[in-house]
Amino acid sequence: MQAKLASVFYSLLVLFLPTQLGKHFWPDFASIQGLQVDYLSPTLYVTDLLIVALIIVWISRKKNVWGEVVSFIKKKSTKIYLCIIGVLFVGIFLSDQIVPGFYFFGKLLEFSFVAWYTATHLQTAKQFLQIVLLLSIGATIESMLSLMQFLQQSSVNGLWYFLGERNFNGSTPGIANASLNGALVLRSYGTFPHPNVLAGYLLISMTFVLFSFSQQISRWIKVIFLLALSLGTAGLLTSMSRIPVVLWMVTVIAFLLWRFSFAKKMKVRKIFMGSVVSLLIIAGFLMTPSATRLFATSFTEESLLQREVLTKHSFAIIGKHPLFGVGLGQFLPSLAVEQETSVLLLYQPVHNIFLLIAAETGIIVLILFCFFLAKTFFQLKEKIAVADSSIWLINISLMVIFYQILMIGLFDHYFVTLQQGQLLFALVIGLCWARVKSN
């Protein structure tokens, strides 16, 4: 009974991962110069409640919780994580504000549990397929909402509020619009705080789905997967997020070329079919609004200039606090001090997870984090080398997604700053470390 209950809570967590319904709290440290900043607000999300429920059920199932914790600590891979925790503790006590530091530290532990639970409880290809199915359902729903938002150029409202959709239109202050042929067009948000996060979720979910088509699945699951891929691609394009759109196009073309050319014996006909389909995808992409926005990119546009300013300030912060950083969650308050002028739109994290980690937690944690990513990469590489045919493609999909996250992380921050991005990152890391076996 408890095992089934844990499975239900975990499945609901994966399904509701894209939602952002929650209760925000506004202590003094969540404001900068009188402005309330979402990034600093302690928030209790529905997904937090699901994680807490999962932890309670997990503890109730274990007769010797402490023994399992000790066994976990003794593992070599855990020592890197414990070193990070230790340095973070020092950084919190050295920071200007200890309370928010411990809040963000608690969030780190929460998502670490999700990653660990995924790594230790995912054991079969069937369980992996269930996760992909839940992600495909979420991607389909998010894409339907995104298309409606794009068509009416505003939030849809109604019952979507209970999934976390915010009320907005093209004139809402700070909203993400794109300039297409001289006209401002509202980018789709779904239930996410920004179109870029929506795009990242759809990209990763659809990559899982794409590679799962080669598994032995029922006809109705194939229908769901096809819906997720078709609607998801449309939803991704309405987000007009450059990097995820390009990554998705490259992923699909590379997959098709492999599927037609190298999956079996190489034949000219298969290579030709793969090339034709790839060219059609490229041609279709060139006719979308996302392509227009991509090719209209200028180094003088506002978003790139903001990124440049944030990057400059992050290096300044790192230079002043190289070893332990300014403290978890303290980048924005430090940015307010660092900025010469008060530009409200710049009260956001630097759009690079490595610079952000270095600024908040110091060079030591950044090195340990990069070492952990390297360990994860070699873990995946090892699994790919020894996996049988039914598991090999699962590990290949994880390797592709791992690269996608690293690429996006160079240009955005939501994998370490926003609830949905953090959950998605924890899920992927957990899957990378899971030892999946054939059914």
Side-chain angles (χ1 to χ4, degrees):
M1 179 61 184
Q2 290 175 325
K4 290 183 178 179
L5 194 58
S7 178
V8 168
F9 284 136
Y10 183 80
S11 298
L12 288 174
L13 177 63
V14 176
L15 180 62
F16 286 100
L17 187 152
T19 64
Q20 62 169 340
L21 183 63
K23 172 64 177 176
H24 287 260
F25 300 93
W26 299 103
D28 291 340
F29 65 77
S31 299
I32 300 177
Q33 298 180 357
L35 177 71
Q36 292 181 335
V37 182
D38 282 357
Y39 293 109
L40 300 177
S41 171
T43 307
L44 181 64
Y45 293 97
V46 171
T47 46
D48 289 323
L49 298 177
L50 290 172
I51 294 173
V52 170
L54 183 62
I55 292 174
I56 292 173
V57 173
W58 173 74
I59 292 176
S60 64
R61 289 180 60 195
K62 300 297 179 181
K63 296 180 180 179
N64 185 13
V65 176
W66 177 247
E68 188 159 336
V69 171
V70 172
S71 176
F72 172 72
I73 292 175
K74 290 181 178 180
K75 294 181 178 180
K76 291 182 179 180
S77 57
T78 309
K79 294 180 180 178
I80 305 173
Y81 176 74
L82 293 178
C83 289
I84 293 176
I85 294 298
V87 178
L88 287 179
F89 242 101
V90 176
I92 290 173
F93 284 106
L94 293 176
S95 64
D96 293 333
Q97 299 190 60
I98 295 179
V99 175
F102 274 109
Y103 165 73
F104 290 107
F105 181 77
K107 296 296 290 185
L108 173 63
L109 294 180
E110 176 188 4
F111 298 125
S112 298
F113 173 81
V114 174
W116 172 83
Y117 188 91
T118 301
T120 54
H121 288 74
L122 182 71
Q123 299 177 342
T124 65
K126 182 179 179 181
Q127 290 176 308
F128 180 86
L129 185 61
Q130 289 172 345
I131 292 176
V132 176
L133 180 60
L134 291 170
L135 289 173
S136 68
I137 293 172
T140 301
I141 295 172
E142 286 294 330
S143 299
M144 292 171 58
L145 175 60
S146 301
L147 289 170
M148 288 188 286
Q149 290 174 346
F150 188 76
L151 290 174
Q152 67 183 48
Q153 287 292 286
S154 70
S155 55
V156 179
N157 301 322
L159 293 176
W160 294 104
Y161 168 82
F162 296 100
L163 291 178
E165 185 198 32
R166 295 177 179 177
N167 186 19
F168 58 85
N169 56 48
S171 302
T172 302
I175 205 69
N177 289 312
S179 178
L180 299 180
N181 299 321
L184 286 179
V185 178
L186 176 69
R187 299 167 59 190
S188 296
Y189 275 68
T191 61
F192 292 86
H194 194 277
N196 290 348
V197 195
L198 165 67
Y201 172 77
L202 291 178
L203 169 67
I204 291 173
S205 298
M206 290 193 296
T207 302
F208 274 128
V209 171
L210 183 66
F211 281 85
S212 295
F213 257 111
S214 298
Q215 305 295 320
Q216 292 183 348
I217 53 179
S218 64
R219 184 173 299 176
W220 70 273
I221 292 181
K222 287 184 179 180
V223 172
I224 294 176
F225 282 0
L226 284 172
L227 276 174
L229 290 176
S230 55
L231 291 176
T233 300
L236 178 62
L237 293 175
T238 63
S239 75
M240 287 183 268
S241 185
R242 298 182 181 96
I243 294 175
V245 168
V246 172
L247 287 174
W248 176 236
M249 185 175 68
V250 171
T251 299
V252 171
I253 291 174
F255 177 83
L256 289 174
L257 288 174
W258 168 80
R259 195 76 178 88
F260 285 117
S261 304
F262 303 105
K264 297 179 181 179
K265 292 183 179 179
M266 187 179 297
K267 294 182 180 179
V268 174
R269 180 176 62 86
K270 291 184 176 181
I271 297 176
F272 176 75
M273 288 177 61
S275 301
V276 169
V277 173
S278 300
L279 289 173
L280 288 175
I281 292 173
I282 294 174
F285 168 73
L286 294 176
M287 299 172 63
T288 66
S290 292
T292 304
R293 182 169 184 260
L294 177 65
F295 294 122
T297 300
S298 169
F299 288 106
T300 60
E301 68 178 62
E302 184 181 6
S303 63
L304 294 181
L305 291 176
Q306 288 180 359
R307 280 170 162 78
E308 182 183 353
V309 172
L310 289 168
T311 300
K312 181 185 71 173
H313 288 315
S314 67
F315 276 114
I317 292 171
I318 294 169
K320 294 177 181 178
H321 308 272
L323 291 181
F324 299 102
V326 293
L328 276 174
Q330 296 301 298
F331 180 84
L332 294 183
S334 299
L335 179 65
V337 175
E338 190 67 32
Q339 286 182 168
E340 297 177 0
T341 58
S342 177
V343 182
L344 299 184
L345 289 179
L346 292 187
Y347 284 152
Q348 52 183 297
V350 60
H351 287 63
N352 182 300
I353 61 173
F354 301 99
L355 289 179
L356 183 60
I357 289 172
E360 289 197 341
T361 62
I363 300 297
I364 299 175
V365 170
L366 176 62
I367 293 173
L368 292 172
F369 176 70
C370 291
F371 187 64
F372 174 75
L373 291 179
K375 289 279 290 183
T376 303
F377 170 80
F378 287 112
Q379 169 83 357
L380 269 176
K381 188 177 179 181
E382 178 188 339
K383 291 198 299 180
I384 290 172
V386 300
D388 56 39
S389 58
S390 62
I391 304 299
W392 183 82
L393 206 56
I394 291 177
N395 294 323
I396 288 293
S397 69
L398 287 169
M399 181 66 82
V400 172
I401 291 170
F402 183 74
Y403 280 124
Q404 289 174 346
I405 288 178
L406 291 182
M407 183 61 66
I408 293 174
L410 291 174
F411 300 96
D412 219 320
H413 57 77
Y414 55 81
F415 285 121
V416 296
T417 57
L418 297 174
Q419 179 84 0
Q420 295 114 314
Q422 291 166 325
L423 273 175
L424 191 58
F425 188 36
L427 176 65
V428 171
I429 290 296
L431 290 173
C432 289
W433 283 89
R435 290 288 182 178
V436 179
K437 300 178 182 178
S438 301
N439 294 328

